[in-house]
Amino acid sequence: MTVDLNTTDLQAFTQDWLDWYRGQEERLAAPHGFLAITGLHWLDDRPQRFPDAPGAWWTDDDGVAVALDDGEELVVAGTPVRGEYRFGVLPERGGVDAVWGDAVIEVARRGGNDIVRPRHPDAPLRTAFAGTPAYAPDPRWVVRGRYTAFDSPRPTTVGAAVEGLEHVYDAPGRVEFELDGRPLALTAFPGRGPGGLLLLFTDATSGVTTYAANRALALAPPAADGTVVLDFNRATNLPCAYTDLATCPLPPAENRLPVSVEAGLKTPRERGGSA
């Protein structure tokens, strides 16, 4: 069911969307945001050096480690470290940020692989960023739906923006809703915060006006009766829409909507998009 708004509410709705949009852009283009990434380095048991990070890096049964040269220093959790330092075994989708001068060296685990992903404020992608095109906010794209939890979370394997990489999520349930009277459903993944949900999807605009691989929609925790609100005006791009140095998940096959969702963020200019 679409949410109806009067004129006053529409003005507030538009302002709330603008605040959300500006927040998205600010986080993306922050000094150490995704636009600041300069490399995606895959670790193995052989020490490797990278042009955008200090020291030599490797991973083994004891997790990620770095051997810093004389005079090199990282700051981890506020503590300066020198020489050989071990980050330990990282959890999937977890990571540690190590500060190196004005840069941050992200040490993380994605798709069962340990990676080093430096972030430099002067990265050309960040300094040239001119903003993301988006559809004008429209209340018709705010719909109520219903969340139904699975009997137990379902391990769901999806592809990634990096060829050959896979992500596994424990999908907690499914969200059913209608657009223009058409019944639709999306498998939900865990979102940020307790009870939050994340919907990864494509639709008929994907590859036309919106990024081809995926978009994401965050949902607040469902109400006691399972009611959720889907505001497709806040459908956002994942980092892979801007840079090849991201490992973003792709939507599961059942999350390919057969309708045009003309709402939310469009294809970034970095990928050839236009306003």
Side-chain angles (χ1 to χ4, degrees):
M1 181 176 64
T2 301
V3 176
D4 294 323
L5 299 177
N6 60 35
T7 301
T8 302
D9 288 342
L10 180 58
Q11 291 173 342
F13 169 83
T14 301
Q15 186 59 54
D16 285 347
W17 181 87
L18 285 170
D19 292 342
W20 169 84
Y21 172 79
R22 290 168 184 150
Q24 292 286 321
E25 298 286 276
E26 288 171 3
R27 284 188 289 275
L28 179 67
H32 301 121
F34 263 94
L35 296 181
I37 292 175
T38 55
L40 173 58
H41 308 303
W42 302 87
L43 303 182
D44 56 28
D45 59 1
R46 301 166 299 171
Q48 301 177 69
R49 293 180 178 273
F50 310 117
D52 50 358
W57 299 78
W58 71 95
T59 187
D60 54 28
D61 291 343
D62 295 320
V64 176
V66 62
L68 299 169
D69 294 340
D70 291 343
E72 291 181 332
E73 178 182 277
L74 290 171
V75 178
V76 182
T79 301
V81 298
R82 302 176 183 86
E84 183 173 317
Y85 179 79
R86 287 198 165 268
F87 292 86
V89 177
L90 301 173
E92 181 62 32
R93 291 186 287 278
V96 175
D97 287 341
V99 177
W100 179 46
D102 67 350
V104 163
I105 310 301
E106 178 192 8
V107 186
R109 187 167 182 82
R110 298 292 184 270
N113 301 273
D114 290 322
I115 62 172
V116 166
R117 195 159 45 181
R119 302 177 184 227
H120 291 260
D122 61 355
L125 190 65
R126 176 179 180 268
T127 58
F129 182 57
T132 307
Y135 285 100
D138 188 334
R140 72 175 289 252
W141 295 107
V142 183
V143 298
R144 290 188 175 91
R146 184 168 299 278
Y147 169 73
T148 302
F150 297 140
D151 292 338
S152 60
R154 296 179 182 175
T156 304
T157 301
V158 297
V162 175
E163 186 175 355
L165 191 69
E166 291 183 335
H167 296 279
V168 180
Y169 291 88
D170 287 330
R174 180 180 177 87
V175 174
E176 297 178 339
F177 58 99
E178 289 187 2
L179 284 177
D180 293 332
R182 184 168 185 170
L184 301 166
L186 292 168
T187 294
F189 291 151
R192 290 184 177 178
L197 301 172
L198 180 69
L199 305 178
L200 301 177
F201 72 96
T202 57
D203 63 275
T205 70
S206 301
V208 182
T209 56
T210 63
Y211 185 57
N214 51 26
R215 284 196 291 167
L217 183 62
L219 303 186
D225 64 355
T227 298
V228 291
V229 175
L230 297 83
D231 184 354
F232 284 101
N233 295 289
R234 302 192 181 201
T236 189
N237 290 319
L238 296 178
C240 58
Y242 301 88
T243 174
D244 291 334
L245 305 177
T247 62
C248 304
L250 302 180
E254 67 269 21
N255 283 17
R256 297 168 185 167
L257 297 176
V259 296
S260 292
V261 179
E262 296 177 337
L265 300 191
K266 296 182 178 180
T267 304
R269 294 180 176 89
E270 290 76 9
R271 300 291 194 185
S274 57

